[in-house]
Amino acid sequence: GACIEGVVDLSGAGADAQRGALQLDLAGCEFRGDPSDAVDEFGRARPVLKVENARLVRACLTDCAFTHVSFANAQIAGDFVVKHARAVNDECVLDMREARIDGAVRLRESTFILKARTRPNPEGRDAFAVDLYGAKVGGDIELTPRVVARGGVRMAGSQVAGDVWCYGLVASAMDRNTALEIQLARIKGALLIRAQTKPQDEKTVVQAVEIEGEVNLLSAEVGSWLLLE
């Protein structure tokens, strides 16, 4: 692990065809960023880890602390995994807008937080604590176990070849209306929003689903079945 001041910018990494894609594995790192840096178009802290437009074999962040990391428009041949993420200065934002992940997206035992100062960007879009807007995912999206998104989750316009698992998800809209935005998403498998239970014991609830705000499924397509309980 490492404590990093300033910004780590890996934008475009791995795009060199001769060198090939990179594998990104970060464990126990704290990204403090630059406190004097201006906020972005949403009013969020600017990314302290930028992996935008990068080409990766896989990406895994374990036990890392950050205000805002961005994998926007990244291409990942394998899985994207975040485990035990925690906030710095009460902010922890994951931006994966328009990313392409050939494997699964797995967010586990993490708390993501969007500060209330955020505002719509010039295109009129709101910010979210976890943003998968327009992402293309070749496997499942797993927001379980014990995933909290204070500031909501957006999967609007995403394309998911597998299932979306939201077992025990805790999501709140903060100062907006929408806590879980899945508008116009295309999910070939199932969309599962339910309590997290003990293995082999469906009657014992470990973490109930808690959604404070609107769940937007307008024009979404779910291939197999939709479970809300």
Side-chain angles (χ1 to χ4, degrees), residues 160-205:
V160 184
D163 302 323
V164 175
W165 301 76
C166 300
Y167 282 19
L169 175 66
V170 176
S172 56
M174 301 289 283
D175 57 344
R176 300 183 322 280
N177 294 323
T178 307
L180 187 56
E181 184 170 304
I182 312 178
Q183 181 178 3
L184 295 169
R186 296 181 179 179
I187 302 167
K188 288 188 176 180
L191 173 57
L192 309 166
I193 303 173
R194 56 160 295 178
Q196 177 73 40
T197 57
K198 285 187 175 181
Q200 301 178 346
D201 183 2
E202 292 292 319
K203 295 182 179 180
T204 302
V205 173

Side-chain angles (χ1 to χ4, degrees), residues 15-99:
D16 187 329
Q18 293 182 346
R19 296 183 179 180
L22 302 178
Q23 178 167 307
L24 182 65
D25 284 293
L26 299 172
C29 296
E30 181 175 342
F31 296 89
R32 293 184 177 177
D34 183 353
S36 65
D37 201 8
V39 297
D40 67 7
E41 71 272 20
F42 290 105
R44 304 175 299 190
R46 290 192 181 277
V48 293
L49 173 62
K50 296 177 66 176
V51 199
E52 299 168 357
N53 299 293
R55 189 161 65 91
L56 307 173
V57 175
R58 67 187 294 271
C60 183
L61 280 65
T62 304
D63 294 313
C64 289
F66 52 83
T67 54
H68 179 186
V69 299
S70 177
F71 285 77
N73 295 292
Q75 298 181 35
I76 302 174
D79 293 343
F80 177 86
V81 181
V82 177
K83 296 184 290 186
H84 306 132
R86 61 190 189 278
V88 172
N89 297 326
D90 298 320
E91 190 164 13
C92 185
V93 174
L94 175 61
D95 186 350
M96 298 189 68
R97 288 174 294 162
E98 306 285 352

Side-chain angles (χ1 to χ4, degrees), residues 66 84-87 91-93 108-113 129-130 146-150:
F66 52 83
H84 306 132
R86 61 190 189 278
E91 190 164 13
C92 185
V93 174
R108 295 177 174 171
E109 298 179 295
S110 297
T111 297
F112 301 95
I113 303 171
V130 176
R146 292 184 290 279
V147 172
V148 176
R150 296 174 184 163

